[in-house]
Every structure is written in structure tokens, then in C-alpha cells.
Amino acid sequence: MNEQNNTKNGEELYSRQVVVANPHGLHARPAGKLAQEALGFKSSISIVLDGQEVDAKSILDILTLAAGEGSILELRAAGEDAEQALNVLEKLFASRFEEE
Amino acid sequence: MPGKTISGIPVASGIVIGKAIFVNRSHKATLLRQTVAASLVEKEVERLEKAFAETESELAEIRSQVPDELKDYKMLIDTHLLMLKDPQLKGTAAEYIRSLSLNAEWALEKAVSDQEVKFGAVEDPYIRERMQDVRVVSDRVQSKLAGRAVDFKAMQGRFIIMAHDLSPADTVALEVDKIMAFATVQGGKTSHTGIMARTLGIPAVVGVSDLERYVNDGDLVIIDGISGKIIINPGDDVLADYNERAAKFEEYSRKIKRRCQLPAETLDGFRVNVFANIELVEEVAAVLDNGGEGIGLYRTEYAYMNRTALPSEDELTERYSELASIMSPRRVVFRTLDLGADKFISHYGELNEANPAMGLRAIRFCLKHPKLFKTQLRAILRASAHGNVAIMFPMISGIKEIRQAKAWLAQAKAELRREGVAYDPDMSVGIMVELPAAVMVAEFLAQEVDFFSIGTNDLIQYSIGVDRINRHVAYLYQPLHPATLKSIKLVVDAAHQAGIEVSLCGEVASDPFCVPLLMGMGIDSLSLTPQAIPGIKRIIRQTQMRECRALLKQVMQCRTVHRINSLVMDSIFKSYPEELTFFASLLENDEAPA
């Protein structure tokens, strides 16, 4: 949970590490929830896996990331509600996207 | 291209000549590729955004009407809605319009291809398959962009319907009296298009791979539903020849229809009941006209398709009661919902199953959605007060399933009794025998029900492991495969041993080459498409039961389909040469591709 502060286009860049705990990885349902939540924030939010950075507001991007169970992802957000966004998204990962 | 002939698989006989019209081309084949002037670029972006917005509100509307019990279905629509909002689709498409001056259609297709590349690179097969969802979504947007769903109401005259594929939902939307024939790119011998065409009594050719390449809207085409040929913009001599052939076929059809009200009784006095398979109450007239003695299979799926809300119990009761009372005292067998991943739900793909034919469908789907199932059971029971009604469960694989289905039926009866609603307490209960597992345990299943109905389309498909709409393996779909014949015989024998009746309701029942063998086995009734009843009754009336038995005995010793086919053909050509004048050309299509 090492939050490092950097800058992106002059805005504070927040980042946080999360783990994919869903047994089938980020498949359609969790990817959908993630994108849905991300769309609700003004900040730009991205997900990084093995150096590949994708838009967290795009379900297609999240799907093609093909993050399997146990993958460690970095969430990055920059913008007025960046911190808040990361808090909400982190919770989603922690709760396994509310899947059984 | 004048006089060009292309061909496919003939699935409903008859010959017509008329104007072609496409109801759905695959968007890929007809995609408009244009660039737009710089001054119009922003207009084009607006057009794209409007199409996305319209698709979104359409999907949101559909979503709001999905009942809660179909949660997965809702989830899938949510995924599609998210894809519509996705910057990778709409955003990229808009970018292409601006940077490359592409028209909206082409820009969207390019954005979709980008996704195809990305998804194609993913190893996980589950995620790779999500590309289908992207396609479904973009197709919806493409049709909004095209803005030209065919408006049948506005059209004058009658047409030959051309399509990439016709789903059951598509055919529901068609104006039936404006259709002369069907031709589709997709499909095999027993696909839905064929069933639909035979029901309507119009010719159809499916699996015509070159259709979209050679036929244009407005072309004059000849559809030969006997040989499977489609001739585009024919010359005068060909036209004259086909006009004559069409007239001859008409005459033959009329001739056999004249005597269709006579009972189906062999020359030596054995009687078979000939029932009809239907899906719409409106078809009752065709059933009675063609000499059908009842409804052996009422497909109940139509009430559930091409709509966003499920039908209510009262609505179903009204439909079913109407049918039961019109047919009374003749029997009507209601098959409970045979829906699943391949129909209805698959439009959005509740589960997106890799193998829908082996997935959550028919009785499995119903047992998983008991509320939906019980609504239907109550409606069928309520209709049983208005006529001679029987119920039949599809795709039963063993004892446990039939007992579960019967338990729900008992519960529905108990509820109605408590509520003081009338129903027939002795309504017959049967099952479709269409899984090899059900064949093997037929003797046990026969103890649980009042009748069997053999569903040969699926039985053959599951026994031989052939997807009947897959053009590459369709040649393996062999009704006269020794395994098929042994299976049917086993089921008939098991039923008779237990003292219950056995019917056959697959395509085989309308195949002149199969009927004499079924007779020899002692099948009690056949249920077939209404239009085929006159021909089959005529064959039965020209038959000697002892010849059927002798033929069967010989056939049951055969080890190859080839040998069986030639035995049956010899015998049939001898007995009914006239019937086969028009059907002989079908035989060529049974050969494996070279």
C-alpha cells in the first residue's frame, strides 16, 4: 500500500498496489464493476500490469489486460478526486468485487 | 452477373421466381468504406455519437424489462452498455473520423478491428471470446448507422428474403404474407429457417456461402428448394424451363393433398396417427387442411422470443386454451420451454456457453428457473380444462430430471386445486427422448411417464456428435445411420414393453425414406410439419406392413449407412416412384464433400 506521490501533467499522481483475488481473474463481471466505478470519477485512472498501462474506465482495456488470479496491479490516478477514487477501487479488489 | 447459379442446402421444397431483398447482410460484407470531406468531419462524429446514444437507450430500455430472475442476462447487458461507453470503441472511432476523414461506419469497424487484434493476443480463451460481445455491440451500432431496418409494412408485393442468418427472433418480425422464399448464408438441413419455411409452405435454401457476394437487392432470382439451386437474373429459356417445373411441382402437391383427409392406414390394415408440429396457433388451419389428426408437438418458445418481458401466466393460458379448444377433441401435446443458450438468451448470451447444445437449455434451464417454469406449467394445466391436452418435457437425461419436473407439475396442480381453478387431473405426461442417455435408460423412463416422443433431430446430433448447422460436418448427419435406427428401435421396444405409446416428432417423420422403417418398428404416431402430412399419409396408404417389417429386418443387419441407404432406396423406388421424382435430387446432397 505504498502510496508514492508523483506528478502527471502537473497534477498529483497517486498510486496504489492491489491484488486480484477473484478465482477467474479480472473477467467480465469484475472488469465491468471496475470500469463502472472508475467512470464515476473525474480523475484519469489507469491500471498497470507488468509495465502495460491501460485506462481503468475502459472495460475492453481491462479485459485485454487479462489479469489472472494473484496478479499484482498498480492503480494510478491523477485529478481532483484521485485519492477518493483509489480508496473506492481498492475496496473493490479487497472485496473480490463482491463475488461469491 | 446474368444467369449466375449458386447453390446451397435445400431445406424446404418448391420453386419460386421473384425479386430478392436482403433483411440482414453481415455488416462486414457490405460495410460502407468512404472518406468524408474535411468540412463534414464533425457532422460524421455527431452521426457516430447519435448512433451510440440510440443504441445505449435501446439497451437500457431492454434491460429495464428483464425480470429479476434472469440476473446473468442483466449483467450481460450491463457489460454491453459499458462497451458502448468505452473510450476504446466510441473514442477511437471518433478519432479515426477526425484523423483519417473516414465515414462513421468504417471508423467504427476499424476501432473494432483494433480490439480484435488486442483480444486475439490474449491467451485466456474466456477473455478472447468476449470479442463476440464487442461484435454484438458494434453490430447494433452499425445497424443504427445504416438506419435501414427493412420496413415490411411499407413494402408492396412479395419478395424472396435473403439474409446472412435468420434467428427465430428475426423470423418473428417478418411479415409472413410478403415472403415467397428464404435463402441464407448460414444454416444446415434442420436449421430454424428450414422449419420456419416448411411451416409457411415456402421454399428455402440455406448454407449458400456465395449469397452475399452475388445477389443484390432487386435481382430477379429463381429459388429451387428441391435441388438447392439459386439462379440470379436468369435468361429467358431458363425462366421458361423453371416456370414449367414450378407448375409441375404445384400439380404434384395438389394431387397428394386431395386425399389427405383419409386415415393413414396401410394396405393390410395397420393404422398410424399422423400429427403436426406447430409453433403458432395460426397454423391450425394448415394442420386441418393437410389432414393432421392433432398436434403432436406444440413448440412453446415463440411466446418468449423477440420480446423483452416474459409472458404472464394469463397470457400463456389464453394462448394455450385457444389452441386446445380449437383442436378439441383432437389432442394437443405442449412441449415445455425448449429455450437455452442457443435460443432467446443467446442473443445476449446469458452464459455465453462454449457448447450451447450441451449447456443450460430445455428442461435444465427450466429447472434452474422454477418461477418461469411454474408459470408455464400452470398455464398448460389451465388450458387442459379446455381440450385434450398433454404435456411433454424436452431433453430429459435420466430419472431424476423427470421426477423433478413432475414434482413441479404436482406442485402447480396442488396450487390450482387450492385456488379452485379447473384443470384436467389426468393430463398425460410424456418426455422427449432425444439424448443417447435417455435411449439407454428408456426402459426405466417408461415406468415414469405416459408416453415417449422421440426427437430425432437432437438424438442424431448427439449420437453422431454432429452440429447439424455446421456446413463442414452436416454430411455426417445421417438419419439412416445404424446407430440412429438401433436407438429408435430400442426406445420403441422399451415403450411397448411398458405399455406406453411412442411417437416420433423429428424431421425423420417427414422423410419418405425413413417412414417405412418406422412403420416396421411399430411406431404409434408420427408428428411432422403440416405441409408434409399429405405426402407421408399417401406413402403410408400405399404400404404393406409386412413389407415394412421385412425391410426393417434386413436393414437392422446392415453395418453401414451406405448399405442401408441403397436397400431403402431400392425398396422405396419400387413402391412409390412418383413421390421420388421431386425428391431424388435431394439425395445428391447427402454425399460427403470431396
Side-chain angles (χ1 to χ4, degrees), chain B residues 516-517 547-556 567-568 571:
Chain B
L517 293 174
E547 280 171 14
C548 294
R549 287 186 181 138
L551 177 65
L552 178 71
K553 205 171 161 194
Q554 255 188 307
V555 160
M556 292 308 281
L567 261 176
V568 170
S571 129

Side-chain angles (χ1 to χ4, degrees), chain B residues 228-437:
Chain B
K229 277 188 196 141
I230 296 176
I231 304 160
I232 307 150
N233 296 323
D236 289 344
D237 45 340
V238 176
L239 260 182
D241 174 37
Y242 267 90
N243 270 318
E244 194 181 318
R245 279 198 219 192
K248 265 195 193 151
F249 186 75
E250 276 285 299
E251 194 194 314
Y252 163 77
S253 307
R254 257 203 311 277
K255 189 168 151 196
I256 60 169
K257 209 168 159 180
R258 242 176 271 141
R259 298 172 77 85
C260 74
Q261 301 296 342
L262 297 168
E265 195 174 291
T266 61
L267 293 169
D268 44 357
F270 288 86
R271 183 74 196 272
V272 181
N273 293 308
V274 180
F275 294 127
N277 299 338
I278 66 166
E279 38 206 332
L280 303 168
V281 175
E282 291 75 26
E283 292 171 74
V284 164
V287 175
L288 299 175
D289 270 6
N290 286 295
E293 294 158 15
I295 309 293
L297 166 61
Y298 178 69
R299 299 189 177 95
T300 57
E301 292 75 39
Y302 259 59
Y304 293 79
M305 286 187 302
N306 208 39
R307 59 188 291 164
T308 46
L310 291 173
S312 68
E313 180 184 319
D314 286 344
E315 182 191 334
L316 292 177
T317 304
E318 200 186 311
R319 242 174 218 264
Y320 299 169
S321 303
E322 189 193 353
L323 178 61
S325 57
I326 304 176
M327 289 305 295
S328 179
R330 300 179 192 86
R331 192 183 215 203
V332 180
V333 181
F334 288 85
R335 180 179 68 187
T336 59
L337 263 184
D338 193 5
L339 285 177
D342 63 333
K343 294 178 202 153
F344 172 64
I345 300 288
S346 83
H347 199 48
Y348 292 95
E350 180 189 44
L351 306 158
N352 265 312
E353 297 175 317
N355 284 309
M358 299 191 185
L360 185 64
R361 45 175 297 208
I363 196 67
R364 305 166 179 183
F365 182 83
C366 287
L367 292 175
K368 197 134 188 204
H369 295 287
K371 208 169 125 195
L372 179 148
F373 189 36
K374 219 163 67 188
T375 302
Q376 191 185 30
L377 294 178
R378 285 176 54 107
I380 294 171
L381 280 166
R382 285 170 64 185
S384 71
H386 300 273
N388 179 357
V389 166
I391 191 170
M392 150 168 111
F393 300 110
M395 218 189 173
I396 294 289
S397 67
I399 295 286
K400 192 175 165 197
E401 256 168 358
I402 180 61
R403 288 189 181 158
Q404 277 177 328
K406 276 165 64 185
W408 284 112
L409 184 67
Q411 202 185 94
K413 281 184 180 175
E415 283 173 13
L416 292 174
R417 201 163 46 236
R418 270 200 304 277
E419 294 161 23
V421 179
Y423 66 91
D424 172 9
D426 301 318
M427 181 177 72
S428 289
V429 176
I431 57 166
M432 299 270 298
V433 178
E434 50 189 339
L435 291 175

Side-chain angles (χ1 to χ4, degrees), chain B residues 352-561:
Chain B
N352 265 312
E353 297 175 317
N355 284 309
M358 299 191 185
L360 185 64
R361 45 175 297 208
I363 196 67
R364 305 166 179 183
F365 182 83
C366 287
L367 292 175
K368 197 134 188 204
H369 295 287
K371 208 169 125 195
L372 179 148
F373 189 36
K374 219 163 67 188
T375 302
Q376 191 185 30
L377 294 178
R378 285 176 54 107
I380 294 171
L381 280 166
R382 285 170 64 185
S384 71
H386 300 273
N388 179 357
V389 166
I391 191 170
M392 150 168 111
F393 300 110
M395 218 189 173
I396 294 289
S397 67
I399 295 286
K400 192 175 165 197
E401 256 168 358
I402 180 61
R403 288 189 181 158
Q404 277 177 328
K406 276 165 64 185
W408 284 112
L409 184 67
Q411 202 185 94
K413 281 184 180 175
E415 283 173 13
L416 292 174
R417 201 163 46 236
R418 270 200 304 277
E419 294 161 23
V421 179
Y423 66 91
D424 172 9
D426 301 318
M427 181 177 72
S428 289
V429 176
I431 57 166
M432 299 270 298
V433 178
E434 50 189 339
L435 291 175
V439 172
M440 299 316 289
V441 296
E443 60 170 311
F444 305 135
L445 289 169
Q447 307 293 326
E448 305 280 326
V449 293
D450 304 313
F451 66 93
F452 280 163
S453 187
I454 307 174
T456 46
N457 297 359
D458 276 341
L459 182 59
I460 298 170
Q461 166 161 276
Y462 291 122
S463 303
I464 309 180
V466 170
D467 178 355
R468 61 196 188 195
I469 64 168
N470 179 333
R471 280 184 288 125
H472 304 295
V473 293
Y475 70 95
L476 285 171
Y477 186 90
Q478 293 279 12
L480 293 181
H481 192 292
T484 315
L485 293 173
K486 275 184 196 251
S487 298
I488 298 173
K489 180 143 193 320
L490 218 146
V491 176
V492 173
D493 291 347
H496 289 164
Q497 203 102 60
I500 66 170
E501 291 212 338
V502 57
S503 165
L504 189 144
C505 65
E507 303 296 316
V508 164
S510 53
D511 185 337
F513 293 94
C514 299
V515 167
L517 293 174
L518 299 174
M519 305 270 300
M521 291 183 198
I523 202 102
D524 297 295
S525 55
L526 297 171
S527 193
L528 47 147
T529 176
Q531 284 67 29
I533 291 174
I536 292 302
K537 271 189 150 181
R538 192 172 129 107
I539 285 180
I540 295 169
R541 290 175 52 77
Q542 292 175 37
T543 304
Q544 297 269 8
M545 185 57 103
R546 68 188 151 72
E547 280 171 14
C548 294
R549 287 186 181 138
L551 177 65
L552 178 71
K553 205 171 161 194
Q554 255 188 307
V555 160
M556 292 308 281
Q557 318 267 322
C558 293
R559 297 170 187 217
T560 65
V561 184

